[in-house]
Amino acid sequence: MKLLITGATGAIGGMILEYALRNKDITKVIALTRKPLPNNDSNEKLESVIVQDFSNPDTLDDKTWSKLGDADAMVWAMGTYNLNEDVNLKYPLAFQEALAKRIPTASRTSKFKFILLSGAFVEPDQSKWLYFLGDERRMKGVLQTKTIEFAETHQDFWTALVIRPGGVLFGGDTYRNGAVECLFGESMAIRGEELAAFVTGLVVNGSQKTVIENAEMVEGGRELLKESD
């Protein structure tokens, strides 16, 4: 399987990348970045493709698109926590449009999986009043809605999977992480390794659900980690 990923230089995207490279069913990973990844040559499965303008992916040359068009899945892990409309809305929508035009639908044996890293607090309901970060959460809610709608209009070869993790914990089995898990529970906290394992499983196996909440990700991620031990 060939996987495309954005946001690989971030904490969450970087951990997803790490687990994808470990997975034997994923034979190629292409990271779409603005600058080369460090240690890009350390794994023969990994290739970095530089994208200067994510808002206009049609400017990528034909050679680059030939590498991307036959991918089996894409993890979109790029995003910010502020009102950056370009990063949080325009870039992923533009890339979905551009990529869908290049996928050779006639030769595909399975649907392309577009996996969107959203969040537990993201709000698709644009009329809902929110106590905190209302504009930011509604903007990402627009992306969630439009991503699902895009898949529905291209359902013969494209499927969308929206993951909504709560607070992501890094650092392994620490006292702090254990305390946070006890306080917030499986509905609102997930360890980075659980998230990364779950997303890698989605890449390979897909899901019957379009929108996947934190608790299901925790359970699924833990099971996959146990299987890999």
Side-chain angles (χ1 to χ4, degrees), residues 2 11 24 39 42 77 91 104 107 112 125 128 130 139 160 208:
K2 179 187 283 189
K24 61 180 178 59
N39 303 318
S42 62
Y91 291 175
S107 61
F112 178 84
D125 185 351
K128 189 173 182 178
L130 302 173
M139 179 184 291
Q208 295 299 313

Side-chain angles (χ1 to χ4, degrees), residues 9 33-38 40 48 50:
T9 57
T33 59
R34 289 194 181 90
K35 57 184 179 180
L37 289 171
N40 186 37
S48 178
I50 304 301

